[in-house]
Amino acid sequence: QKPTSEGLSFLQKSSHTMGGRKDICRGKFGTTFDAQKWRSLDPCGLIGVSLSMSIHIFCFLVIAAYLVEGSLIANGIFLLLYTPSVVLALSSLYMAWITDPGAVPMGARPLVTVRRAPSGELRDTTSTRAIRRCHKCNDNYKPNRAHHDSVTGRCIVKFDHHCPWIGNAVGALNHKMFCLFVFYTMSSCVWSVVLVVARVAKCKSPFVDPTEDILESCEFWHHNWMILAVTLVSLIFFSFTSCMLCEQVEAIKTNASKIARMKMKVGQAGTELSRVTEEFNEMFGGDSNRVAWHWFLPFPVTFPQGMKKVVLGYEWDETFDPSPYEEPNQGDEEEGRIEMTASKHRTVSSEKSTNAGFQSSLADNDPPGTLTKRSNSIERAGNVGGTLT
């Protein structure tokens, strides 16, 4: 099924007014419904991303120029610990910025949940009440765990908050990258402070030979404003990121966003906002709840087959009409039930007529009394078959 012309015209008309703030390059980048690649173009967010990258690069260059010269231990810490932390922090920042956090696409449909009753009968448990819609997203379907982000202008599944440091909303699909960015930023701050302390110990040590070249670098390093700036920035951001990481530990354990946890805490929500499964961690993906190596790498989150739509809470395909999902009216559902009942009656009538014809053919050829025995056998066989069915 291809999108209809009415749906396309609706999407082109609405994407620049409601449902996404803006896009550039003829819709190639942005947060609108028809943007090809997700990019939050909020000015404050772009400044925050640029500032985050600049601080990491500035500290890296200053440490490489002034704090590792003439020390084997400092060079080892710089190459083996500090540099990987900076690279992973910048990679996580970039992935958190460009990744779609879980925005609900136009035309998304609610999931149809089917449960098996104790008798083995399949029952459709879809609620008959009206589905949730977001009037800010052109009345598009809004899953239970989605909340509207006013900065990107979209409904985000498991929306936690909008972070200016990554220039993006934090949701179901980029929460992992956000946590990794915070973790590796804190790690780089720790190692930068360690390198500053190592330089102080090296230059102030009474065991330093005055004839060594190290004295030349020790003469001016503590008067350099850039080293002082690195020290202050490292201490400030270590305090900031450590507090943020402690807050995110609860999100990792509960698999619930900050908004969901707050609502459940005050009794404004039930189980619809809690995690959907215990088989894997929703934030880091994979197929197990156990900590794995992919938890620490800024790769896109993957889920077991068929579970991504369960986590996101909606069904969507590129062939869906790009317009708000319309619920089937009550008349259509009633007609479907009537048709199903009529079909069952026709099947039962057909089986009765078949049995009657079979019994009639037996009566023409068998001696008296045989028909009654065979009828009883057929009846017992039918009962057994019905029971097995």
Side-chain angles (χ1 to χ4, degrees), residues 327-347:
E327 301 174 84
N329 56 48
Q330 199 70 19
D332 294 339
E333 295 180 354
E334 186 66 27
E335 290 179 3
R337 285 194 291 267
I338 293 174
E339 178 63 26
M340 184 178 297
T341 304
S343 177
K344 289 182 179 180
H345 284 306
R346 287 195 297 268
T347 303

Side-chain angles (χ1 to χ4, degrees), residues 17-78:
T17 55
M18 299 177 67
R21 285 290 171 240
K22 61 179 70 174
D23 53 24
I24 58 175
C25 299
R26 297 182 179 180
K28 187 173 183 179
F29 301 100
T31 60
T32 57
F33 284 117
D34 56 348
Q36 300 176 19
K37 295 184 179 180
W38 180 272
R39 294 292 187 280
S40 178
L41 304 176
D42 176 59
C44 293
L46 295 176
I47 294 174
V49 171
S50 302
L51 188 59
S52 299
M53 291 184 177
S54 300
I55 290 175
H56 274 290
I57 295 173
F58 170 77
C59 292
F60 179 84
L61 295 177
V62 171
I63 291 174
Y66 297 106
L67 298 182
V68 297
E69 183 182 358
S71 175
L72 182 61
I73 296 178
N75 275 279
I77 295 175
F78 177 79

Side-chain angles (χ1 to χ4, degrees), residues 7 11 20 76 81 88 94 102 117 122 127 130 137 143 165 199 209 212 217 262 301 304 306 314 319 343 350 360 379:
L11 184 58
L81 298 173
L88 288 170
Y94 179 73
L122 295 179
S127 175
C137 293
W165 294 104
R199 176 56 64 174
D209 188 353
E212 293 183 1
S217 60
M262 292 173 62
V301 180
Y314 64 82
T319 59
S343 177
S350 176
S360 177
E379 184 178 356

Side-chain angles (χ1 to χ4, degrees), residues 13-253:
K13 179 180 178 181
S14 63
S15 61
H16 299 280
T17 55
M18 299 177 67
R21 285 290 171 240
K22 61 179 70 174
D23 53 24
I24 58 175
C25 299
R26 297 182 179 180
K28 187 173 183 179
F29 301 100
T31 60
T32 57
F33 284 117
D34 56 348
Q36 300 176 19
K37 295 184 179 180
W38 180 272
R39 294 292 187 280
S40 178
L41 304 176
D42 176 59
C44 293
L46 295 176
I47 294 174
V49 171
S50 302
L51 188 59
S52 299
M53 291 184 177
S54 300
I55 290 175
H56 274 290
I57 295 173
F58 170 77
C59 292
F60 179 84
L61 295 177
V62 171
I63 291 174
Y66 297 106
L67 298 182
V68 297
E69 183 182 358
S71 175
L72 182 61
I73 296 178
N75 275 279
I77 295 175
F78 177 79
L79 294 175
L80 300 178
L81 298 173
Y82 177 73
T83 300
S85 297
V86 172
V87 172
L88 288 170
L90 292 175
S91 302
S92 301
L93 171 62
Y94 179 73
M95 290 299 296
W97 176 48
I98 68 169
T99 302
D100 182 348
V104 182
M106 177 58 69
R109 302 174 182 178
L111 292 175
V112 177
T113 57
V114 178
R115 296 180 180 177
R116 186 174 296 275
S119 62
E121 178 186 0
L122 295 179
R123 296 179 181 177
D124 184 2
T125 61
T126 305
S127 175
T128 56
R129 64 181 181 180
I131 64 174
R132 298 173 72 233
R133 296 184 181 273
C134 179
H135 68 278
K136 296 180 181 178
C137 293
N138 307 310
D139 289 331
N140 193 34
Y141 170 61
K142 185 177 182 180
N144 288 329
R145 301 199 296 175
H147 297 86
H148 189 83
D149 175 30
S150 59
V151 180
T152 59
R154 297 285 295 276
C155 284
I156 309 297
V157 177
K158 297 184 66 178
F159 176 60
D160 193 85
H161 68 286
H162 190 97
C163 179
W165 294 104
I166 66 171
N168 199 0
V170 178
L173 300 182
N174 71 340
H175 205 154
K176 167 191 172 181
M177 275 70 83
F178 169 75
C179 289
L180 290 180
F181 168 65
V182 173
F183 172 75
Y184 287 119
T185 298
M186 183 189 71
S187 176
S188 64
C189 291
V190 170
W191 297 122
S192 62
V193 171
V194 169
L195 289 172
V196 171
V197 173
R199 176 56 64 174
V200 171
K202 181 71 174 177
C203 292
K204 297 298 182 180
S205 175
F207 303 103
V208 176
D209 188 353
T211 60
E212 293 183 1
D213 295 337
I214 188 64
L215 290 180
E216 183 178 353
S217 60
C218 289
E219 289 179 356
F220 64 90
W221 78 270
H222 53 282
H223 298 296
N224 194 323
W225 67 269
M226 291 186 291
I227 296 178
L228 178 62
V230 168
T231 305
L232 292 176
V233 167
S234 298
L235 291 174
I236 292 173
F237 277 92
F238 170 76
S239 303
F240 179 58
T241 53
S242 59
C243 294
M244 292 183 64
L245 195 61
C246 290
E247 182 187 15
Q248 293 301 316
V249 169
E250 186 177 0
I252 297 173
K253 290 181 178 180

